[in-house]
Amino acid sequence: MLRGASAAKAVLVVADQSSVPVEEIAAQAKSTLWYQVYLEPNGNQVLERVQRAVKSGCKAVCVTLGNGEQVTTSAGVDWPAIDRLRRSIGVPVLLKGVMSPDEARKAVDLGVQGIVVSSYAPRSITGIASSLAMLPSIASAVSGKVAVLIDGSFRRGSDVLKALALGAQAVLLGRPPIWGLAAYGADGVQRVVEMLQTELAQDMAMCGKVNLKSLDPSVVKIHRR
């Protein structure tokens, strides 16, 4: 995954639960690495792992809310724990799992450098808003004060275009690179990422947009029921 992402000039977010130690991954990195961590009751252990990752060369830390099995609301977020972690490391902290303007504003007030609009609602729950649906209101709430990223079922370049047009500065990919990895190893990861990059460029050209800065909500047509 690291070799493929590096070849495609993409940032790799190393999972805290990776089966390979972050030091081994970082030792072979030729592109930027970030580190992803879940908050746990034992904050000292989390901090120790994050500090190891930063020392190894990770340039940012994504603190993830929720665990994929439950919905995290602002009432359940341990804001003091996030703040302690932020103050204890010397790299930018992004809060991943933000799904409301209120959470986004709270994160900005807390001093984080970025947010990732991302839903951890169980798939069995119907009617829950998608991350893309919440993106415009969240981007408006932070008013450019911090970077806004997003993840959630991005499969085509046109999906990425929509996210960038609606206020995101970057998109996180999960399953597509894994599919490429499973099929062709590092070459598969590179190919998948480059396919999305190429599709994005082609779709932008079809919309008459010459660069990323020219993207705006006017290129996205939203049907509401």
Side-chain angles (χ1 to χ4, degrees), residues 82-90 93 110:
I82 296 171
D83 192 41
R84 286 194 297 271
L85 180 63
R86 181 187 66 82
R87 293 175 181 274
S88 301
I89 58 177
V93 169
L110 195 68

Side-chain angles (χ1 to χ4, degrees), residues 19-88:
S19 59
V20 180
V22 66
E23 292 88 351
E24 293 184 26
I25 297 174
Q28 301 184 46
K30 296 182 180 179
S31 62
T32 302
L33 294 181
W34 292 4
Y35 191 70
Q36 174 270 333
V37 66
Y38 292 96
L39 288 180
E40 299 173 1
N42 192 328
N44 290 334
Q45 291 182 2
V46 173
L47 177 58
E48 179 183 350
R49 297 199 300 272
V50 169
Q51 289 175 332
R52 280 175 42 207
V54 172
K55 184 177 180 180
S56 299
C58 293
K59 302 301 183 183
V61 173
C62 293
V63 178
T64 304
L65 308 176
N67 57 15
E69 299 177 355
Q70 62 184 12
V71 181
T72 299
T73 64
S74 57
V77 177
D78 190 343
W79 296 106
I82 296 171
D83 192 41
R84 286 194 297 271
L85 180 63
R86 181 187 66 82
R87 293 175 181 274
S88 301

Side-chain angles (χ1 to χ4, degrees), residues 47-190:
L47 177 58
E48 179 183 350
R49 297 199 300 272
V50 169
Q51 289 175 332
R52 280 175 42 207
V54 172
K55 184 177 180 180
S56 299
C58 293
K59 302 301 183 183
V61 173
C62 293
V63 178
T64 304
L65 308 176
N67 57 15
E69 299 177 355
Q70 62 184 12
V71 181
T72 299
T73 64
S74 57
V77 177
D78 190 343
W79 296 106
I82 296 171
D83 192 41
R84 286 194 297 271
L85 180 63
R86 181 187 66 82
R87 293 175 181 274
S88 301
I89 58 177
V91 299
V93 169
L94 296 88
L95 194 60
K96 186 173 185 288
V98 174
M99 279 293 287
S100 76
D102 286 343
E103 282 183 348
R105 284 188 286 265
K106 179 67 175 179
V108 172
D109 292 341
L110 195 68
V112 302
Q113 284 78 26
I115 60 174
V116 182
V117 183
S118 176
S119 173
Y120 286 88
R123 296 182 182 276
S124 59
I125 298 180
T126 59
I128 298 295
S130 68
S131 55
L132 190 64
M134 295 306 302
L135 175 60
S137 61
I138 291 174
S140 176
V142 302
S143 303
K145 295 177 182 177
V146 300
V148 177
L149 291 77
I150 187 172
D151 75 358
S153 300
F154 288 92
R155 304 289 186 261
R156 301 178 178 85
S158 57
D159 297 333
V160 178
L161 185 150
K162 294 170 190 174
L164 299 179
L166 293 175
Q169 279 79 57
V171 170
L172 302 185
L173 302 174
R175 294 187 184 187
I178 293 176
W179 295 333
L181 179 69
Y184 299 108
D187 290 342
V189 174
Q190 178 183 358

